[in-house]
Amino acid sequence: MSVWQLDEDLWFPDPYTGEDSGLVAVGGDLSVERLLLAYDNGFFPWYSFNLDSEPLWYCPLQRYVIFPDEIHVSHSMRQLMKQNKYEVTVNRDFDGVIRGCQTAQGRDKDLQAWLGPDIIEAYTRLHSLGYAASVEVWEQQRLVGGLYGVTLRNAFFGESMFSLVPSASKLALIYLAKAMASVGGCFIDCQFETPHFKSMGGRYISYKEYMEILHGTGVGLNHARSD
């Protein structure tokens, strides 16, 4: 098992050589070109901006994903959706969502916090070029939850979500899955298993299957917008 040191050239090593945790490489930068190459090969950056001096790149060989047509909507969520208490939009306030993900529940105060200035700048740049999208949840014109991630090929690579009211992030994820299904999107990459994602219908697939789906046909949420 090896962890590779990246340099200024744009490349990523064979993920099968990485650690069991999914860590494969260290270094490089967060340029648009490197990020797009990373996601196109199943890699993503995840590191503490307080503790790590350079990006850490992960590519787990067992991928936790949600297929849009397998999203689980509980009875309580169906009841909440019928109330029309919240408005859900796409790409209306990317900056608000990524900063909500940064600060909700005091996350930015954690020594191991990963959503720092460099990450925010990099993904905001991706969004400006159409490669990242956000889903917002509003209560009376107040942003109360949402999620953001990278949109590439036929997939949505989830990066983070937040809720300031109960179930807001679940509502955003359900909306995302339905939007992905409507445009032929194939999966939502959750990166790692959590009880939250498991309850919403997530499951593991192999890296081989993941890459076959990613490089198949279909479209994503790249240019969706709802006001």
Side-chain angles (χ1 to χ4, degrees), residues 121-221:
E121 179 182 354
Y123 285 82
T124 300
R125 187 163 56 245
L126 283 178
H127 174 65
S128 71
L129 296 172
Y131 292 110
S134 60
V135 179
E136 304 88 16
V137 179
W138 306 86
E139 182 178 24
Q140 297 180 351
Q141 300 185 351
R142 172 184 172 235
L143 184 64
V144 294
L147 59 82
Y148 81 95
V150 173
T151 62
L152 187 67
R153 295 187 183 269
N154 53 0
F156 185 94
F157 305 86
E159 282 297 315
S160 189
M161 56 177 57
F162 79 103
S163 292
L164 301 182
V165 297
S167 299
S169 62
K170 288 185 178 181
L171 186 59
L173 187 59
I174 291 168
Y175 188 96
L176 171 63
K178 292 183 179 297
M180 290 286 289
S182 71
V183 296
C186 290
F187 64 70
I188 301 167
D189 183 358
C190 303
Q191 297 184 346
F192 298 107
E193 179 184 357
T194 68
H196 177 76
F197 291 134
K198 187 174 183 178
S199 72
M200 301 293 287
R203 62 183 173 95
Y204 283 107
I205 61 173
S206 69
Y207 175 71
K208 179 177 182 294
E209 183 179 359
Y210 176 96
M211 290 299 290
E212 288 173 350
I213 296 171
L214 178 61
H215 288 267
T217 59
V219 296
L221 202 63

Side-chain angles (χ1 to χ4, degrees), residues 107-118:
R107 297 173 184 174
D108 54 326
K109 308 301 181 186
D110 190 330
L111 185 62
Q112 295 184 323
W114 61 270
L115 222 175
D118 290 347

